[in-house]
Amino acid sequence: RQAAALLLLPHLQHIPSLLAMSAPPPHERVKEEIPIDPETGKQYSKSKWKKIKKKREKEEKNKLKAAEKAKREAAKPKKKKKDDDELESLDPNQYYEIRTKKMEKLKAEGFNAYPHKFEAKMSIPYFIKKYENVKPGERLDQVSTSLAGRITRKAPSGKLTFLFIEADDAKIQIFANAGAAKNKEEFENIVRLVRRGDVVGVVGNPGRTKTKELSIFATELKLLAPCLHMLPPPRVGLGAEIRFRKRYLDMIMNPAVKRTF
C-alpha cells in the first residue's frame, strides 16, 4: 500500500492546479462612473449621487403610477352630470338664459309656473312650534297640512331629495320621496325642475326623520314662482357693494336683514 501511495503522489500534486484552471473566472465588479455636476463642474460625491439616483427612481415610479391611474380613469364609464350640477357650473348669464328658455318652453306646453293661488294652511314658524314634540322616526300620516317658502338648499340623495325652504325667518325641511306622492310623475318633474331661490308650496304630513330633523313629508309639490337668476353660493356671501345695490338679494341671502327694515 505504501508503495502504491508513493506512486500516486506525483499525480496528486497536480490536482490543485488543474482545479484552478477549470474553475470559472471570478466575477469582476464594474465600477460605476459618477457624472459631473453641471453647477460646479466637478464630479458628484458618492453620497450626493446616491441621493440623486433615489430621487430619479422615485419620480419615475410616480410617473408610471400616474400613467396607470389615468389609464384606469379613462377606461371607466363617465358619470352623467346631474341637471343641478350642470346649472350650478354655469355663469349667471348662461343660467338666466337657460332657465328663462325652460320656463317659456313649459309655458308653451301648458305648464303654469306662476299659479294664481296656493293655500298655505300654516306658517313655517307655527309648524315648528306645533310639531316640536314629534319623536325621531315618527310621521303623522293622519295629519295633512301645507306650507310655502323659498328654497334655500336642494340636496338629492339617491331616490330621495331634501329641500330646505324658508319663510318668516324660519326654515323647515321637505322630505321629498316620489314613492309617497299622489301623482308620482308630476312630483318627480317638479323636484327635477326646482332650484335654489324658487318659491314652492308643499302639501304633506308632519314628522321627524331618524336624524331628528323636523320635516314635512311631501305628498304634493307645487312651483309658485321660479327664480330665474342664479343665487350666489350660500357660503360665499355678498360683498358690501352688492348688498347696498341689490337689497332684495341681500334679504334673500341674509334673512336677518329684514328685521332692520
Side-chain angles (χ1 to χ4, degrees):
R1 289 180 184 176
Q2 289 179 353
L6 290 170
L7 290 170
L8 290 171
L9 185 60
H11 299 287
L12 292 171
Q13 289 175 350
H14 296 289
I15 288 174
S17 59
L18 291 169
L19 289 171
M21 289 173 65
S22 61
H27 177 69
E28 294 182 8
R29 293 182 64 185
V30 180
K31 190 176 181 182
E32 184 182 13
E33 187 177 344
I34 300 174
I36 303 294
D37 184 349
E39 292 181 3
T40 61
K42 295 180 181 179
Q43 198 175 44
Y44 286 111
S45 63
K46 288 183 179 179
S47 58
K48 190 174 181 179
W49 177 238
K50 194 175 181 181
K51 287 178 183 179
I52 291 169
K53 282 203 303 179
K54 281 186 178 180
K55 187 180 177 182
R56 287 179 180 176
E57 286 171 5
K58 190 176 179 180
E59 287 174 353
E60 192 63 32
K61 284 181 182 178
N62 290 339
K63 282 181 183 178
L64 289 171
K65 283 181 181 179
E68 286 175 6
K69 187 179 178 182
K71 193 176 179 180
R72 286 196 302 269
E73 291 295 328
K76 286 181 182 178
K78 290 184 179 179
K79 291 182 180 179
K80 189 179 178 182
K81 277 190 174 183
K82 294 180 181 179
D83 293 341
D84 294 322
D85 297 333
E86 288 177 352
L87 282 177
E88 291 296 329
S89 64
L90 300 174
D91 67 60
N93 292 331
Q94 290 174 322
Y95 183 93
Y96 174 77
E97 186 180 348
I98 289 172
R99 283 229 83 189
T100 303
K101 286 181 179 179
K102 180 70 174 177
M103 293 305 155
E104 287 174 354
K105 183 183 176 183
L106 290 172
K107 185 180 178 180
E109 292 172 356
F111 177 79
N112 184 10
Y114 301 91
H116 177 65
K117 191 177 180 181
F118 177 82
E119 184 186 359
K121 292 181 179 178
M122 61 179 69
S123 66
I124 293 176
Y126 183 76
F127 178 91
I128 293 169
K129 187 175 181 180
K130 185 173 182 179
Y131 300 108
E132 62 184 352
N133 294 322
V134 175
K135 296 176 182 177
E138 186 180 2
R139 176 176 171 178
L140 308 179
D141 293 322
Q142 72 281 7
V143 179
S144 180
T145 189
S146 55
L147 305 171
R150 187 184 296 277
I151 297 173
T152 57
R153 185 182 164 207
K154 181 180 179 181
S157 179
K159 293 182 180 180
L160 303 176
T161 300
F162 298 94
L163 300 170
F164 297 83
I165 60 170
E166 182 180 288
D168 303 317
D169 287 341
K171 291 181 182 179
I172 196 70
Q173 175 180 272
I174 298 173
F175 187 97
N177 179 8
K182 289 182 178 179
N183 187 324
K184 185 177 179 181
E185 186 180 351
E186 183 182 328
F187 189 88
E188 287 177 334
N189 289 337
I190 294 295
V191 169
R192 279 195 296 267
L193 178 64
V194 295
R195 300 285 182 271
R196 283 194 315 123
D198 292 351
V199 178
V200 296
V202 57
V203 179
N205 314 115
R208 196 179 290 275
T209 63
K210 291 179 181 178
T211 56
K212 302 180 181 181
E213 185 78 32
L214 183 63
S215 309
I216 179 166
F217 290 78
T219 55
E220 295 177 54
L221 190 65
K222 195 168 187 178
L223 178 62
L224 304 180
C227 179
L228 302 179
H229 293 274
M230 178 187 282
L231 293 182
R235 294 181 183 180
V236 174
L238 301 173
E241 185 182 348
I242 294 175
R243 289 185 65 187
F244 283 111
R245 283 196 299 109
K246 299 181 179 180
R247 299 302 290 173
Y248 61 90
L249 183 58
D250 187 24
M251 285 187 279
I252 290 173
M253 299 301 295
N254 304 301
V257 173
K258 295 180 213 174
R259 298 172 197 159
T260 62
F261 280 82

